[in-house]
């Protein structure tokens, strides 16, 4: 099923990459965007965010994209690299195919009572 | 104003990160922590504080290094040697004090011959290792294993854990001499802190489990759970600790083997074989998972 031998992205890494799809963001904006994209399921604390950023930078999936000085402090922006786009697209495709396996076989599209919306099909392994 | 106080407190927390990382990232982290929105908060939230401390531990453990597995292994081995020697020195000094308390003053020279020389030499090797004099430490640790035993076989014949300390530390220090040039040594303050943490783990009064009283057992269980939980919280972030703690647990196992042989006691003592097996498995797990992460870091 996998097109490459690359293990699945961890959930925080996936959403950080997804947050940067819209263009370069600084740390605080990444946290807000990740919270929004994940329906508040993934709320990164600053220490966790930078652990993820360090890993993604190390693997070349994101790159630093300039700095500006705000309130006397350096604010660094990050953007997706070409490799980051490729890995994120591949992961999204893998998740979609994995979700389709289940969705196509569900007898009725009924969801638990009290559920306000359909469960996300983007369920990936926890961090 | 409150944001200035908050920033100051965040900067205090950021001191947990290595200096180099802090120089590079402190401003950016503060910017992310404070955010764009006005705040009346004066203290960092527990969640943010815990996240920063774990982040700092991960950086200390080599997460941002070019070769995280190499940092984990080499620094873990170095810290393991340091922790073994520190534990050996601590047990040796404790036994020395006890010997003087219980009749040793009648023949202080015998006590010093039996235990004193060994405690001094192990302590000297530890000081050399902490000072970054690895070659000197290698010479001293070999001397600490041989010289006191030639003078008095007391520690060896009783297979006391402090006798095993330089024996276990010797190969670790020797291997540490071959550390690749691109792997930095563990910073001294950090190494001392890690060693103190491992010693604290050994000071948990787990022996209370073997007492008859229910209250003693409950206290022991609480201390063990709290201590092990705190250790694992730190060690799963800075995984060098998982490697460093394993050789210290070897001392208890060797002591048991030397005194009772491979009996059931070896399996029942919390400071002997069971802990050693768990520690070795966790150390192997740490190396394997770091290696896998290094291949696909995200």
């Amino acid at each position: 099923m996998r097109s490459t031998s690359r293990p699945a992205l961890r959930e925080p890494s996936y959403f950080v990459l997804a947050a940067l799809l819209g263009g370069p963001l600084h740390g605080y904006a990444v946290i807000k965007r990740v919270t929004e994209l994940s329906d508040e399921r993934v709320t990164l604390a600053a220490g966790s965010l930078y652990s993820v950023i360090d890993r993604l930078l190390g693997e070349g999936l994101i790159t630093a994209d300039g700095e500006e000085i705000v309130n006397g402090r350096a604010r660094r922006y990050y953007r997706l690299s070409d490799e980051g786009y490729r890995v994120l697209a591949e992961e999204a495709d893998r998740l979609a195919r994995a979700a389709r396996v289940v969705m196509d076989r569900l007898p009725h599209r009924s969801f638990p009572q009290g559920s306000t919306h359909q469960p996300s099909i983007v369920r990936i392994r926890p961090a | 104003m409150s944001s200035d106080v908050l920033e100051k407190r965040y900067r205090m927390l950021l001191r947990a990160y290595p200096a180099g990382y802090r120089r590079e990232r402190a401003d950016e982290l503060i910017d992310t922590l404070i955010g764009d929105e006005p705040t009346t908060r004066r203290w960092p939230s527990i969640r943010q504080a815990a996240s920063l401390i774990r982040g700092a531990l991960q950086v200390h453990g080599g997460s941002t290094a070019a070769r995280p597995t190499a940092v984990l292994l080499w620094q873990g081995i170095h810290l393991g040697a340091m922790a073994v020697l520190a534990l050996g020195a601590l047990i040796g000094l404790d036994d020395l004090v006890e010997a003087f308390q219980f009749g040793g003053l009648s023949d202080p020279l015998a006590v010093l011959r039996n235990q004193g020389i060994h405690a001094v030499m192990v302590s000297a090797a530890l000081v050399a290792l902490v000072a970054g004099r690895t070659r000197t430490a290698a010479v001293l640790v070999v001397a600490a294993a041989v010289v006191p035993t030639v003078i008095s076989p007391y520690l060896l014949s009783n297979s006391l854990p402090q006798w095993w300390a330089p024996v276990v530390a010797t190969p670790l220090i020797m291997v540490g001499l071959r550390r690749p040039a691109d792997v930095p040594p563990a910073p001294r303050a950090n190494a001392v802190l890690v060693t103190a943490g491992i010693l604290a783990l050994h000071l948990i009064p787990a022996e209370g489990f073997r007492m008859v009283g229910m209250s003693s057992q409950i206290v022991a269980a609480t201390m063990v759970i709290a201590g092990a939980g705190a250790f694992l919280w730190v060690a799963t972030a800075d995984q060098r600790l998982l490697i460093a703690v394993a050789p210290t647990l070897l001392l208890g196992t060797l002591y048991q083997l030397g005194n009772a042989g491979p009996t059931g006691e070896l399996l029942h003592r919390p400071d002997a074989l069971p802990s050693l097996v768990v520690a070795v498995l966790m150390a192997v797990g740490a190396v394997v998972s770091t290696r896998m992460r290094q291949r696909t870091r995200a």
Side-chain angles (χ1 to χ4, degrees):
Chain A
M1 187 166 169
R2 302 293 311 276
S3 58
T4 69
S5 62
R6 193 179 201 294
L9 283 171
R10 292 172 176 220
E11 193 167 34
S13 302
Y14 179 84
F15 278 109
V16 167
L17 291 177
L20 295 175
L21 271 174
L25 293 175
H26 56 85
Y28 182 69
V30 170
I31 289 177
K32 297 204 81 166
R33 188 80 182 119
V34 164
T35 308
E36 192 183 304
L37 288 176
S38 65
D39 288 336
E40 300 187 7
R41 203 157 45 82
V42 180
T43 51
L44 291 170
S48 313
L49 170 72
Y50 281 91
S51 296
V52 173
I53 284 180
D54 288 334
R55 284 202 294 269
L56 295 173
L57 281 170
E59 202 177 344
L61 300 187
I62 62 171
T63 53
D65 190 46
E67 279 183 10
E68 61 175 341
I69 303 297
V70 178
N71 298 328
R73 292 187 290 266
R75 173 178 281 183
R76 190 170 296 159
Y77 284 78
Y78 298 94
R79 66 172 173 79
L80 274 178
S81 65
D82 291 344
E83 176 70 359
Y85 272 112
R86 191 189 64 74
V87 168
L88 180 62
E90 202 173 85
E91 182 69 3
D93 180 55
R94 186 185 72 82
L95 292 167
R97 277 186 284 135
R100 213 173 301 130
V101 168
V102 175
M103 300 306 278
D104 289 351
R105 286 166 176 74
L106 280 178
H108 305 291
R109 294 291 177 94
S110 60
F111 301 104
Q113 276 192 332
S115 167
T116 53
H117 53 77
Q118 294 185 356
S120 169
I121 58 167
V122 186
R123 299 296 292 190
I124 55 181
R125 72 181 173 89
Chain B
M1 180 64 191
S2 63
S3 122
D4 290 346
V5 176
L6 185 63
E7 178 176 339
K8 200 173 156 189
R9 286 171 178 156
Y10 274 132
R11 284 197 187 275
M12 291 281 286
L13 277 171
L14 291 180
R15 294 184 71 83
Y17 282 89
Y21 190 89
R22 217 164 50 229
R23 272 194 298 276
E24 174 80 8
R25 279 281 167 76
D27 272 6
E28 193 185 344
L29 268 157
I30 291 289
D31 183 62
T32 302
L33 286 158
I34 304 279
D36 286 337
E37 292 151 26
T39 178
T40 54
R41 182 181 275 280
R42 293 172 65 84
W43 288 93
S45 67
I46 291 174
R47 180 169 170 269
Q48 290 287 11
S51 162
L52 287 177
I53 290 168
R54 265 188 82 83
L57 288 167
Q58 284 170 350
V59 176
H60 278 294
S63 66
T64 56
R67 293 201 298 144
T69 316
V71 171
L72 175 72
L73 259 177
W74 290 102
Q75 291 194 3
I77 288 169
H78 175 76
L79 293 171
M82 210 178 273
V84 159
L85 287 178
L87 186 61
L90 190 69
I91 297 171
L93 290 173
D94 184 51
D95 280 4
L96 201 59
V97 170
E98 203 172 272
F100 278 120
Q101 277 175 340
F102 297 101
L105 287 173
S106 59
D107 190 359
L109 280 179
V111 173
L112 289 175
R113 200 170 48 241
N114 288 341
Q115 302 181 50
I117 296 169
H118 186 271
V120 169
M121 293 190 79
V122 169
S123 302
L126 174 64
V127 168
L129 202 58
V130 172
R133 308 280 184 190
T134 314
R135 284 182 197 284
T136 309
V139 173
L140 285 171
V141 81
V142 171
V146 175
V147 176
T149 312
V150 171
I151 294 169
S152 163
Y154 170 78
L155 295 175
L156 170 63
S157 55
N158 288 291
S159 187
L160 291 175
Q162 63 266 44
W163 185 83
W164 287 106
V167 176
V168 172
T170 299
L172 299 175
I173 295 175
M174 294 298 183
V175 168
L177 287 171
R178 304 185 68 82
R179 175 171 52 83
D182 64 334
V183 176
R188 193 174 303 162
N190 176 250
V192 170
L193 207 61
V194 168
T195 304
I198 292 174
L199 288 186
L201 186 71
H202 281 275
L203 293 176
I204 295 172
E207 283 299 298
F209 274 130
R210 298 160 72 87
M211 292 182 181
V212 179
M214 178 66 91
S215 59
S216 300
Q217 290 184 347
I218 291 172
V219 169
T222 309
M223 300 278 282
V224 168
I225 290 169
F231 177 79
L232 287 174
W233 188 81
V234 172
T236 48
D238 181 355
Q239 297 187 340
R240 297 173 307 166
L241 267 85
L242 295 176
I243 294 177
V245 79
T248 66
L249 293 164
L250 192 55
L251 299 189
T253 307
L254 289 169
Y255 168 67
Q256 281 301 314
L257 268 176
N259 281 278
T263 60
E265 181 75 356
L266 195 63
L267 296 172
H268 296 135
R269 285 188 65 94
D271 59 342
L273 199 57
S275 307
L276 177 64
V277 170
V278 171
V280 168
L281 288 176
M282 287 199 303
V284 171
V287 173
V288 170
S289 67
T290 306
R291 179 115 185 98
M292 285 170 71
R293 259 205 318 274
Q294 190 177 335
R295 281 170 53 205
T296 57
R297 282 200 184 173

